[in-house]
Amino acid sequence: MSGDSGIRYISHPHPVTGVTNSKLGIWCFLASEVMLFGGLFSAYILLRMGAASWPEGSAILNVPLATLNTMILITSSVTMVMSWASLALKDFKKYRWFMAVTILLGLAFLVVKGFEYAHKFEHHHTPSTNTFYAIYFTLTGLHGLHVLGGILVNTYFLFPGSALWKKDPDQFMGRIEAAGLYWHFVDLVWIFLFPVLYLL
Amino acid sequence: MSEHASHDLPFWRKYIFSTDHKVIGIQYLITGLLFLLFGFILMLILRWQLAYPGQPLPFIGHLFPESQMIGGIMLPEFYYQLGAMHGTIMVFLGVVPVAVGGFGNFVMPLQIGAPDMAFPKLNMMSYWLYFIGAVIMIASFFVPGGAAQSGWTSYPPLSNIASVGQTFWLVGMAFMINSSLLGSINFITTIIQLRAPGLTFNRLPFFVWAQFVTSFLLLLAFPPLMAASVMQLMDRVAHTSFFMPTGLVVNGALSSVSGGGSPLLWQHLFWFLAHPEVYVLILPAMGIVGEIIACNTRKPLYGYKALVYSVIYIGVLSFVVWAHHMFLTGMGTTMSAFFQVTTMIISIPSVVILTTFVLSLWGGSIRFSVPMLFALAFLPMFGVGGLTGLPLGLATADIHLHDTYYVIGHFHYVVAPGTLFALFAGVYYWFPKATGRMMSDKLGRIHFFLSFIFMNGIFLPMFIMGLAGVSRRLYDPTQFAHNLSTQPLNVVMSISAWLLGLSQIPFIINFFGSIFRGKKVDNNPWKATTLEWTAPSPPPHGNFATEPHVHRGPYEYSVPGAKQDFIPQSAPEGAR
């Protein structure tokens, strides 16, 4: 791949910037993601400041379940790093193991989230109930889509995408690092979402 | 380098689902030009109603369905669809794809001596996301209730209760946003990582700098509109109340939504994108004009560093001026004071750029080629557009002028005879690079002079109408007595617009005819210095036969003692 297109710095970092193309690209992408969630968080602030009354998140949302989900996501971030570190140690078997755990933890997060949603819908608490539920469902829904996207990418790297490891281990490691950066970002968004929606 | 077998690719891989930046650039350019024509035609139809309100549209009026025109007389609903979609199509489907997707994709990698963009597959995806988004936008004309009709700004609550065309607008916009996101990531990475050896940031052509800053604007300003679009979509589909205030009355009945939302929130998020978007429209145009002025005056651009710093300064500051579009919303005098100060400040770098361009002409031996004519016309036209913006940036003056034709005249001077002229200049300038053939000089001159006259015929009267207090969104201007005195101007503007439409025929003939019949030229017909002119015309896959090395700045024209009046950037050290 790196050879025939003539494009440089796919597998190895640029001597001056110190990063590969994909790493710079993923950081740019994350910058735009910050602006996306930033837009939604500022909407939250503006709506809350303008509201006559604002419900206490902890009173109407399930804090223990959300705490469990926080734990799940943080653990998955650790296993994601471990999978990358295993590649650095040239231990492909361990990489697959940690990657599989990361994916399963991501799925577990979505399942827990699904239970939370189902519970809300049972009590007829929908996005149209009030602006708190509107921003709650929009923020967590968009975050959930990001988790789902991360799971899909990681699954690709667990199965068909891992063929690259034999051809160009450096490029493959770069890809896992980029996927990891994204995964940590998704984790970080939740770290902000959790207190803002559930505790404040 | 990459002399690999790209010629063996099947047709659909080489020209349709191509990953080559040049093919994608040309795809963007042609699609964008077609959308510019389409958006322009919408306005040509709309202008009949403004010039001759309530009269049946001749010749083609009966072709429209009953939902749009009855007996050839335009319905108000259709009028507002034409207006909203004209703005949306021109900005998001026309100018930006041509300026950034077209010229940026085609020229930038060549100017930095790269074999391709950093992420060729993402590049292809970015074009096709744009294409799908555009198809969704066009399809919205055929859904019940027609296309979006709440203005290109889609202000709620009106847009929230509009027909299903608005949902199409939001979904189409989501595709456009993701397309520009992928594009901007690609541009930034390519410019930072893939510059040829020796091409330091201080030696970058001004065009590349303009694209670089533009990419940051696209990267960081578009996501808040994505957030806003998601919320408006939720409002329309899941009946949330992000933008629906408590106690809203629709058609005489209290709206059934929960309320508590804020229509102002949309305006803030929308203009947070849409003001930087103005600079997305103008910066690449400035980049094109800079290249053409340097080449056609045969002297270096005056104040290269001042230009670069100004562009960066504009980029940063453009994020803190957005609320000058909202002086009349009652957001408070403190906010207004802040935003009018930042707005006055951001005019300084724009003036610096325009002034350096004018000073660049001083003492040059100017070649009045067709690209140069367009670039020269850009200067006063953008000047008029910029200077008429100052009263709008001051809250007190804006109270009178807001939402009048004055605003329309102001931003059209920036974008139409401003940016569009720069884009035409770019087409004439880089056409020989893309095809190996020149466009016809004679047809180009006809195109230029007619366009120049009729552009001003359309937009100059707008200032007079605006100062007379004519609102920008009236279906029938004659229904108010204070508009009657300026109504003859509407006829002048409409006839100018239709003649401007006819003036584009020489360009269309020239563009497609010259692909096959244009005069064949060598690799560097303009005798320019930047790297793209050292590549073959048209450049092969991989662009350069051997990787170029850069030894000097971008504009070494008329160096004293040199054999020729230009020294290419890749000429070896000490070459004379």
Side-chain angles (χ1 to χ4, degrees):
Chain A
M1 277 200 98
S2 50
D4 60 359
S5 65
I7 299 166
R8 293 183 175 193
Y9 314 121
I10 290 178
S11 313
H12 301 285
H14 189 291
V16 177
T17 62
V19 288
T20 56
N21 295 345
S22 61
K23 201 163 173 181
L24 185 61
I26 198 78
W27 275 114
C28 286
F29 175 67
L30 295 184
S32 93
E33 291 280 70
V34 168
M35 295 304 286
L36 174 66
F37 282 98
L40 284 168
F41 274 113
S42 28
Y44 168 89
I45 294 168
L46 203 132
L47 288 173
R48 185 167 178 169
M49 297 308 254
S53 66
W54 193 258
E56 184 96 5
S58 54
I60 54 174
L61 298 177
N62 195 330
V63 178
L65 268 189
T67 314
L68 173 67
N69 251 351
T70 311
M71 293 306 178
I72 289 174
L73 266 197
I74 291 177
T75 316
S76 79
S77 258
V78 175
T79 56
M80 187 82 210
V81 174
M82 297 298 281
S83 73
W84 175 79
S86 310
L87 285 182
L89 297 170
K90 312 270 177 236
D91 192 341
F92 188 67
K93 236 180 170 176
K94 253 194 179 160
Y95 154 76
R96 294 193 86 153
W97 198 83
F98 278 119
M99 195 51 133
V101 175
T102 310
I103 293 165
L104 288 176
L105 286 170
L107 286 171
F109 174 88
L110 288 182
V111 169
V112 172
K113 201 77 222 148
F115 276 116
E116 268 193 86
Y117 274 16
H119 188 71
K120 293 284 166 300
F121 290 142
E122 267 170 35
H123 290 78
H124 301 292
H125 290 151
T126 61
S128 61
T129 306
N130 56 34
T131 42
F132 173 80
Y133 278 114
I135 194 79
Y136 164 78
F137 278 107
T138 307
L139 266 173
T140 54
L142 199 66
H143 176 258
L145 282 178
H146 277 78
V147 174
L148 187 65
I151 291 172
L152 291 177
V153 169
N154 287 348
T155 311
Y156 172 77
F157 285 137
L158 179 61
F159 299 112
S162 65
L164 185 64
W165 171 250
K166 289 226 172 68
K167 259 172 59 187
D168 189 343
D170 288 319
Q171 192 188 353
F172 185 65
M173 256 186 81
R175 286 187 174 184
I176 299 305
E177 196 181 358
L181 283 169
Y182 171 78
W183 192 253
H184 300 321
F185 173 80
V186 172
D187 190 2
L188 196 65
V189 170
W190 179 258
I191 301 292
F192 279 92
L193 276 184
F194 174 51
V196 165
L197 291 174
Y198 289 80
L199 304 178
L200 285 177
Chain B
M1 222 139 102
S2 66
E3 259 318 302
H4 78 122
S6 70
H7 351 276
D8 299 344
L9 290 170
F11 176 83
W12 64 276
R13 284 274 287 129
K14 201 171 165 190
Y15 294 110
I16 298 175
F17 294 103
S18 172
T19 55
D20 187 319
H21 74 98
K22 298 179 292 295
V23 179
I24 296 170
I26 292 168
Q27 285 176 328
Y28 259 118
L29 184 90
I30 291 179
T31 321
L33 285 174
L34 288 174
F35 275 114
L36 284 176
L37 184 64
F38 181 71
F40 183 43
I41 289 172
L42 295 185
M43 196 34 66
L44 296 185
I45 299 169
L46 183 147
R47 283 233 59 104
W48 175 264
Q49 167 68 20
L50 284 174
Y52 308 107
Q55 292 183 33
L57 179 66
F59 310 123
I60 55 167
H62 62 279
L63 298 175
F64 289 86
E66 293 264 293
S67 59
Q68 295 174 339
M69 289 190 190
I70 293 180
I73 300 170
M74 191 180 296
L75 293 171
E77 296 85 340
F78 188 52
Y79 175 89
Y80 288 114
Q81 288 172 34
L82 290 176
M85 294 309 283
H86 167 75
T88 306
I89 287 173
M90 286 311 218
V91 172
F92 296 105
L93 274 64
V95 175
V96 177
V98 173
V100 183
F103 286 112
N105 252 320
F106 186 90
V107 178
M108 184 273 283
L110 286 167
Q111 280 197 333
I112 65 170
D116 205 319
M117 297 287 267
F119 309 112
K121 281 180 195 152
L122 278 192
N123 206 10
M124 174 178 82
M125 213 170 132
S126 145
Y127 172 76
W128 286 104
L129 283 176
Y130 156 63
F131 191 83
I132 295 168
V135 168
I136 293 172
M137 286 283 187
I138 301 305
S140 71
F141 275 104
F142 303 101
V143 298
Q149 46 195 291
S150 314
W152 81 284
T153 53
S154 288
Y155 277 5
L158 190 61
S159 55
N160 271 9
I161 57 174
S163 63
V164 69
Q166 181 65 26
T167 307
F168 275 67
W169 189 92
L170 291 165
V171 175
M173 201 52 101
F175 276 95
M176 311 300 299
I177 293 170
N178 285 308
S179 158
S180 74
L181 167 66
L182 296 182
S184 59
I185 291 172
N186 220 338
F187 275 52
I188 293 171
T189 310
T190 306
I191 294 173
I192 292 181
Q193 298 276 95
L194 298 184
R195 280 169 291 119
L199 188 58
T200 60
F201 272 98
N202 283 331
R203 289 172 172 175
L204 274 189
F206 181 60
F207 177 78
V208 178
W209 267 112
Q211 291 284 345
F212 190 54
V213 174
T214 304
S215 301
F216 275 100
L217 298 185
L218 288 172
L219 182 77
L220 301 176
F222 253 121
L225 182 67
M226 184 72 187
S229 298
V230 167
M231 285 190 275
Q232 194 174 100
L233 206 59
M234 289 290 283
D235 271 7
R236 293 181 56 86
V237 178
H239 307 293
T240 55
S241 299
F242 284 115
F243 306 126
M244 298 293 258
T246 311
L248 183 72
V249 175
V250 179
N251 290 334
L254 199 62
S255 173
S256 62
V257 296
S258 68
S262 162
L264 260 191
L265 174 60
W266 169 270
Q267 295 193 22
H268 278 297
L269 291 173
F270 180 84
W271 287 115
F272 188 86
L273 153 85
H275 200 82
E277 177 78 12
V278 173
Y279 293 97
V280 170
L281 301 173
I282 198 69
L283 292 184
M286 288 171 165
I288 293 170
V289 169
E291 295 298 305
I292 291 171
I293 283 184
C295 174
N296 286 286
T297 54
R298 315 309 292 163
K299 68 192 269 283
L301 271 185
Y302 180 87
Y304 170 81
K305 276 197 176 158
L307 279 169
V308 169
Y309 288 134
S310 297
V311 163
I312 297 171
Y313 189 37
I314 285 183
V316 174
L317 218 57
S318 72
F319 283 97
V320 285
V321 296
W322 79 88
H324 65 215
H325 297 270
M326 300 162 58
F327 285 143
L328 261 68
T329 57
M331 62 184 177
T333 48
T334 318
M335 290 274 274
S336 294
F338 174 80
F339 282 104
Q340 62 185 334
V341 169
T342 54
T343 305
M344 290 304 115
I345 295 173
I346 201 173
S347 63
I348 296 170
S350 311
V351 170
V352 169
I353 291 176
L354 199 61
T355 312
T356 48
F357 283 167
V358 174
L359 287 175
S360 297
L361 303 175
W362 185 263
S365 57
I366 298 175
R367 299 188 307 203
F368 289 97
S369 59
V370 176
M372 187 60 171
L373 288 176
F374 277 101
L376 284 175
F378 170 90
L379 302 177
M381 294 296 99
F382 175 72
V384 171
L387 289 175
T388 52
L390 289 177
L392 296 171
L394 296 165
T396 30
D398 187 54
I399 289 171
H400 178 64
L401 297 170
H402 190 85
D403 258 354
T404 66
Y405 264 92
Y406 184 91
V407 180
I408 312 283
H410 153 64
F411 70 73
H412 276 90
Y413 259 101
V414 175
V415 179
T419 300
L420 280 186
F421 272 14
L423 297 182
F424 281 132
V427 170
Y428 285 104
Y429 184 64
W430 280 298
F431 191 88
K433 181 49 55 186
T435 61
R437 291 169 189 272
M438 287 294 245
M439 287 173 84
S440 155
D441 195 60
K442 198 188 265 173
L443 286 174
R445 277 167 206 277
I446 296 171
H447 174 220
F448 168 73
F449 284 108
L450 291 180
S451 298
F452 184 74
I453 293 165
F454 295 128
M455 280 275 189
N456 285 289
I458 302 171
F459 300 118
L460 205 58
M462 286 187 176
F463 293 124
I464 302 165
M465 287 182 80
L467 289 167
V470 182
S471 164
R472 65 188 281 193
R473 297 195 201 273
L474 289 179
Y475 162 68
D476 180 356
T478 58
Q479 63 184 311
F480 294 111
H482 73 275
N483 295 345
L484 292 175
S485 61
T486 52
Q487 181 59 19
L489 288 177
N490 258 330
V491 180
V492 174
M493 287 150 65
S494 291
I495 291 173
S496 298
W498 299 324
L499 291 175
L500 180 65
L502 293 178
S503 317
Q504 304 314 304
I505 292 172
F507 174 72
I508 296 169
I509 295 172
N510 200 354
F511 187 86
F512 289 104
S514 300
I515 294 174
F516 306 104
R517 287 158 170 247
K519 195 178 86 183
K520 281 198 174 173
V521 286
D522 64 356
N523 293 341
N524 191 0
W526 306 111
K527 307 282 172 244
T529 50
T530 41
L531 285 181
E532 79 267 33
W533 302 105
T534 57
S537 302
H541 195 68
N543 293 345
F544 298 93
T546 53
E547 185 178 42
H549 286 253
V550 175
H551 300 285
R552 60 196 74 244
Y555 305 114
E556 301 236 336
Y557 289 104
S558 305
V559 178
K563 274 204 285 296
Q564 287 174 302
D565 70 344
F566 72 105
I567 307 176
Q569 281 194 282
S570 57
E573 212 84 49
R576 284 280 162 186

